Amino acid sequence: MANLPQAKDGYWDPPSSDQEKKNWIAANREIIQAAARNSGLPADMVAGIAWQEIGGQYGWMDDLTDTAREQADAPWGLSPVSPENLPWRVGGTPDETSFGPIAIQVRRGAEVLGYDPDNLTEHQRSVVEESLQDPGQNIFIASEYLAQLKAESEFVDVPAEEMTPAQYQELAARYNGGPYWEGSDAQAYGRGFDNDLSNAREAMR
């Protein structure tokens, strides 16, 4: 990161239109390219995931979600509900909270950074959250997570420059759904990725 341009935010002040998404990707083009090279992925694959994820919600909303989940999960039992039973999008465990302009769950970020997601200390969790919230580090972590997902696929040995459109779409579905990537929601995400990929590629030129 030291030799790369300062990353443009997109988390605390997320894009609200397609043009703003293009501007964000274009402003972070060099970081996206460097992250993709580091992970052995096509740069437009990383850019396409960025297109899908940026502008999802404001960073402060993730902070509120995380706080609600942590309080519901607290050992002192002040909350009558469990984190999973919280209403609407707030439901879920603390380590399922997503952070960053390219949204990534804490547990996935922990895996990329070399921590055991099932045994995170408070300090480690803080490091993961801060890393995900930093736009430059966030891009690198998202790219490496995509590389981990590719390593779990049947096209693990396919070079970046030889990946097919179907493999791009499958990797996007894996990013969204993890082990449930073949489910309807993840498949819809993959189709959305494919439909918007030309926009992401245009922003990378």
Side-chain angles (χ1 to χ4, degrees):
M1 293 297 301
N3 297 319
L4 293 169
Q6 179 69 35
K8 178 180 174 63
D9 188 22
Y11 185 50
W12 304 108
D13 183 23
S16 58
S17 68
D18 283 358
Q19 185 57 53
E20 289 186 2
K21 286 186 176 184
K22 286 183 180 179
N23 293 344
W24 187 89
I25 290 172
N28 291 310
R29 181 187 301 115
E30 289 185 52
I31 299 174
I32 292 171
Q33 291 171 336
R37 284 195 303 272
N38 185 68
S39 300
L41 293 172
D44 58 350
M45 179 75 227
V46 180
I49 292 296
W51 183 278
Q52 297 302 308
E53 295 294 336
I54 55 176
Q57 66 179 19
Y58 289 92
W60 61 264
M61 295 179 68
D62 289 338
D63 279 347
L64 286 178
T65 299
D66 189 52
T67 299
R69 290 175 175 178
E70 286 185 339
Q71 290 181 351
D73 195 43
W76 48 83
L78 295 179
S79 174
V81 297
S82 67
E84 294 87 348
N85 293 330
L86 289 167
W88 192 54
R89 294 177 64 180
V90 180
T93 66
D95 289 341
E96 290 175 330
T97 305
S98 294
F99 289 98
I102 305 178
I104 308 173
Q105 291 182 346
V106 169
R107 60 183 180 178
R108 303 307 182 196
E111 291 171 353
V112 170
L113 294 175
Y115 297 123
D116 178 357
D118 295 325
N119 295 285
L120 282 178
T121 66
E122 287 189 20
H123 173 70
Q124 290 170 342
R125 193 175 194 279
S126 177
V127 169
V128 173
E129 289 184 11
E130 290 177 6
S131 298
L132 292 177
Q133 290 171 332
D134 177 84
Q137 294 183 65
N138 173 265
I139 293 169
F140 268 81
I141 293 170
S143 183
E144 186 59 28
Y145 179 46
L146 280 166
Q148 290 182 359
L149 292 170
K150 182 174 181 286
E152 298 171 2
S153 73
E154 293 184 358
F155 51 93
V156 54
D157 295 323
V158 175
E161 63 276 9
E162 296 179 15
M163 284 180 60
T164 67
Q167 289 166 347
Y168 269 66
Q169 187 169 324
E170 178 180 325
L171 191 52
R174 286 177 178 272
Y175 186 91
N176 177 260
Y180 310 106
W181 68 272
E182 293 181 285
S184 59
D185 288 347
Q187 289 298 306
Y189 181 97
R191 291 191 295 273
F193 166 91
D194 186 61
N195 291 336
D196 291 325
L197 186 56
S198 60
N199 289 322
R201 285 171 170 163
E202 183 179 339
M204 289 291 288
R205 292 175 188 156

